[in-house]
Amino acid sequence: MPLSDAKIRNLKSKSKPYKVSDFDGLFVLVKVSGSKSWRFKYRVDGKEKLIVFGDYPAVSLSKARELRDAARTNLANGLDPSELKQEEKLRRAEASGQTFEKIGAAFLAKQHKEGKSKATLDKTAYHLKLANRDFGKKAITAITAPMILRTLRKVEVKGNYETAHRLRARIGSVFRYAVASGLAETDPTYALRDALIRPTRQHRAAITDPIAFGALLREIDVFEGQVTTRIALQLLALLAQRPGELRHAKWGEFDETERVWAIPAGKMKMRRDHFVPLADQAIKLLDELRPLTGESEYLFPSLRSWHRPMSENTMNAALRRMGYSGDEMTAHGFRATFSTLANESGLWNPDATERALAHEERNEVRRAYARGAHWEERVRLSDWWAGYVDELKAS
């Protein structure tokens, strides 16, 4: 028997939801809370499907019947009402700017405000560019795990397994930002955790044999390329900091009177200020460098513009010119050399060595303590290391 408004109003909630039919597949679902929801049941290719029209009385009886009749007309024309409703929802999402590209841009802006490093921001922008090529214009709710996987496979097929994993993580970050913002319900990248080829972790090549390291130091001393490149490698060997931190070093960060290089948190991987003791040998190299680049804010400006730092490939390219392949030594490898030889000496507290490298302490209590600890020992360690470097060169 068809429903009436009076009958619908008199429907009471029960301990379980129940259905009351109208006709031609339309029914009202009475929930335990007492709310009443219009549903339309139909079949496509023998499969039962359901579409929700909304709650009564916001959607009246006559309106619900009108929506049912429109759905039946679409069925007669070979169109699935649920798919049509989803497509309309996606069109509205795209029109309102809820696309992956727009939300990705908002996520990147959030990282800017959080003070993320330039390297992190550049990587985020690069990964978003890769994703936007394939589905940036789509509503974020329309993007599925298989769709994302097709994008990841394009990177993976080139052998860039690490990039594929990082791209998946970055896309996931955008989705989680969308979920937190109420613009999406799930993160489809979660289902892809085991879908990609796992990259083989390779440590950056480093020379850790003292005799071989001494030979490298002598090669650097007689390097016939740019003088600034030679000094950069010499300082890298003495200071054992990350190549990017040295490339972006500015004269204003160095206090030769206090004999310290103060690296601001914005340049550090762990986002904390870091202080590096300067031994006599480091001060001497700075004095040699200042007449060459002292008019730039950077210790090692680019050859093309003094307003930009040296290229990230410069120091590795110099090592290749000296005959050291990427499997033998890298600019980043000087850190591993320092860590290995300093620890093997048995002279220094391992915590002081770790602090010299600005490594993250996982234990929060130890990390809080380590911020001010070991400075005096690190100063002695710096002087010892500089002297040891001289001994290796002379041996």
Side-chain angles (χ1 to χ4, degrees):
M1 183 176 178
L3 290 170
S4 66
D5 279 308
K7 185 174 181 179
I8 297 171
R9 285 196 300 271
N10 289 326
L11 293 174
K12 304 300 183 183
S13 62
K14 298 181 180 180
S15 58
K16 295 181 180 180
Y18 66 95
K19 298 185 293 185
V20 181
S21 296
D22 187 42
F23 61 92
D24 286 341
L26 180 66
F27 66 90
V28 65
L29 177 70
V30 184
K31 301 179 183 179
V32 176
S33 64
S35 65
K36 306 173 180 76
S37 176
W38 289 111
R39 310 290 172 96
F40 173 57
K41 183 171 65 176
Y42 63 97
R43 287 183 177 274
V44 173
D45 298 329
K47 182 179 179 181
E48 186 176 289
K49 302 189 76 172
L50 194 70
I51 188 170
V52 179
F53 290 149
D55 289 347
Y56 180 89
V59 177
S60 66
L61 174 60
S62 59
K63 180 62 177 178
R65 288 172 174 169
E66 180 183 318
L67 292 171
R68 175 203 57 202
D69 292 342
R72 287 170 58 83
T73 299
N74 286 325
L75 281 169
N77 292 327
L79 302 174
D80 186 333
S82 293
E83 292 182 1
L84 291 175
K85 183 179 180 181
Q86 183 64 19
E87 289 173 5
E88 176 59 28
K89 181 180 178 181
L90 296 178
R91 280 194 293 271
R92 289 198 302 270
E94 291 171 6
S96 64
Q98 295 175 11
T99 62
F100 181 88
E101 185 175 38
K102 294 284 183 65
I103 296 171
F107 173 73
L108 182 58
K110 172 179 173 286
Q111 287 195 321
H112 270 285
K113 292 178 181 178
E114 290 173 342
K116 299 295 185 183
S117 68
K118 184 178 184 301
T120 297
L121 296 173
D122 288 345
K123 288 175 183 176
T124 298
Y126 171 69
H127 289 142
L128 292 180
K129 182 179 179 181
L130 293 178
N132 287 337
R133 288 174 184 170
D134 289 347
F135 48 78
K137 301 298 182 183
K138 292 185 177 294
I140 196 159
T141 51
I143 301 168
T144 63
M147 191 183 299
I148 297 170
L149 184 59
R150 286 194 291 272
T151 296
L152 299 177
R153 291 284 191 233
K154 292 179 182 179
V155 177
E156 189 179 62
V157 75
K158 299 177 182 178
N160 300 328
Y161 304 139
E162 183 69 31
T163 301
H165 276 265
R166 292 182 183 276
L167 177 57
R168 185 198 72 84
R170 200 76 67 181
I171 293 171
S173 295
V174 174
F175 269 96
R176 290 190 293 277
Y177 174 75
V179 170
S181 302
L183 303 176
E185 295 182 359
T186 59
D187 170 16
T189 66
Y190 184 80
L192 303 176
R193 289 178 303 161
D194 300 321
L196 299 174
I197 297 173
R198 293 189 181 278
T200 301
R201 300 291 181 183
Q202 293 184 340
H203 294 288
R204 294 180 177 92
I207 294 173
T208 56
D209 175 74
I211 296 175
F213 185 52
L216 169 61
L217 294 170
R218 290 191 293 273
E219 289 288 344
I220 294 173
D221 283 354
V222 296
F223 178 62
E224 295 180 351
Q226 291 288 329
V227 175
T228 52
T229 304
R230 185 256 298 167
I231 296 175
L233 288 170
Q234 289 173 317
L235 280 173
L236 204 59
L238 285 173
L239 304 178
Q241 300 306 302
R242 296 179 181 89
E245 292 156 8
L246 185 64
R247 287 192 309 106
H248 288 87
K250 297 181 178 180
W251 286 107
E253 298 166 3
F254 287 79
D255 187 332
E256 295 185 34
T257 302
E258 295 295 328
R259 301 164 64 87
V260 64
W261 172 21
I263 310 176
K267 293 183 179 180
M268 296 299 298
K269 182 178 180 180
M270 298 305 172
R271 319 306 294 161
R272 296 196 304 272
D273 293 338
H274 182 55
F275 301 93
V276 183
L278 300 175
D280 289 340
Q281 292 87 333
I283 297 291
K284 183 177 179 181
L285 287 170
L286 292 174
D287 290 341
E288 181 182 357
L289 181 64
R290 192 178 295 276
L292 302 176
T293 66
E295 294 183 9
S296 169
E297 65 174 331
Y298 292 104
L299 269 69
F300 301 103
S302 166
L303 293 177
R304 296 182 179 180
S305 171
W306 276 24
H307 300 292
R308 296 202 308 265
M310 170 191 288
S311 165
E312 62 180 333
N313 296 319
T314 301
M315 287 184 277
N316 279 327
L319 291 170
R320 305 299 163 262
R321 285 183 60 185
M322 296 177 207
Y324 290 90
S325 71
D327 294 329
E328 294 176 287
M329 187 62 180
T330 61
H332 201 281
F334 285 100
R335 289 167 59 77
T337 304
F338 165 77
S339 178
T340 300
L341 298 182
N343 282 313
E344 286 182 350
S345 75
L347 299 173
W348 310 102
N349 185 325
D351 286 345
T353 306
E354 290 298 293
R355 288 298 299 156
L357 294 166
H359 280 163
E360 174 77 1
E361 169 57 59
R362 295 185 180 276
N363 183 286
E364 291 188 6
V365 175
R366 284 173 56 82
R367 182 166 66 238
Y369 168 74
R371 287 178 182 173
H374 307 302
W375 176 253
E376 292 184 1
E377 184 175 7
R378 284 183 54 206
V379 172
R380 296 195 303 273
L381 169 60
S382 175
D383 290 336
W384 170 84
W385 176 249
Y388 186 50
V389 163
D390 285 345
E391 288 179 18
L392 293 179
K393 284 195 291 185
S395 63

